[in-house]
Amino acid sequence: MPLDPATVARRWFEEVWNQGSERAIDELAAENLIAHGLGEAGHPASRDDFRVFWRNLRTALPDIHIRVEETVTEGDKVAIRVFLEGTHLGEGLGVAPSNARVNISGIIVARVINGQIVEGWNNWDQLALLQQIRAIPAPKPADRFLSAQV
């Protein structure tokens, strides 16, 4: 009997991300995987594209840990609210290592068929990531209040 979508999602984050198992990518992601939100806007990623993304992020944040906060399942889809933590020690993001701690949230929706992820929609706080690794400047405290009043 195939695993339910929430179980597959939890295994995905534990084995692929937290344990760094490349073998788990092949086990838990369908060969014809379509991943949205990982690369250039409007261009879905394949399983091989995902593998490049995964290697780059694990190189940039070698101590990466993604905590699953919550899952909601409906049919063959699961929504996963996650929290990513790590230290920017490598160049996998195209930015020199900053040694900065990274803490960002994300929400992913995955479609699971026969125990494998066949399609995923990824939404991460990429602005916070870029600010935390010092790729772009973070707003000054006064700027945050001004933009909230507009």
Side-chain angles (χ1 to χ4, degrees):
M1 179 175 189
L3 298 173
D4 67 278
T7 300
V8 172
R10 287 183 184 281
R11 280 190 62 201
W12 176 262
F13 288 103
E14 182 56 35
E15 295 176 29
V16 171
W17 287 105
N18 298 340
Q19 295 175 17
S21 173
E22 191 164 354
R23 187 182 75 247
I25 295 171
D26 293 329
E27 181 182 341
L28 297 171
E31 191 173 337
N32 60 345
L33 171 73
I34 300 170
H36 306 275
L38 297 181
E40 295 180 32
H43 299 282
S46 67
R47 187 168 74 178
D48 289 339
D49 296 332
F50 170 79
R51 195 180 314 275
V52 172
F53 170 83
W54 175 80
R55 286 180 184 140
N56 287 340
L57 199 53
R58 288 194 54 80
T59 297
L61 307 169
D63 62 345
I64 192 170
H65 184 269
I66 301 177
R67 184 175 64 242
V68 174
E69 299 280 319
E70 181 177 18
T71 62
V72 178
T73 302
E74 184 175 320
D76 63 359
K77 290 190 181 91
V78 58
I80 311 113
R81 186 170 55 86
V82 297
F83 188 76
L84 179 151
E85 298 175 282
T87 311
H88 184 221
L89 299 174
E91 296 189 11
L93 296 173
V95 177
S98 64
N99 297 320
R101 285 295 295 165
V102 172
N103 299 283
I104 61 170
S105 60
I107 294 179
I108 295 91
V109 176
R111 188 163 59 95
V112 177
I113 296 178
N114 296 324
Q116 288 190 309
I117 299 168
V118 296
E119 192 164 14
W121 296 264
N122 300 274
N123 192 327
W124 293 90
D125 188 351
Q126 294 179 7
L127 176 60
L129 172 66
L130 294 172
Q131 289 172 336
Q132 290 173 32
I133 66 172
R134 299 180 186 104
I136 60 173
K140 295 178 223 138
D143 294 343
R144 288 186 218 146
F145 292 113
L146 292 174
S147 63
Q149 295 176 7
V150 176

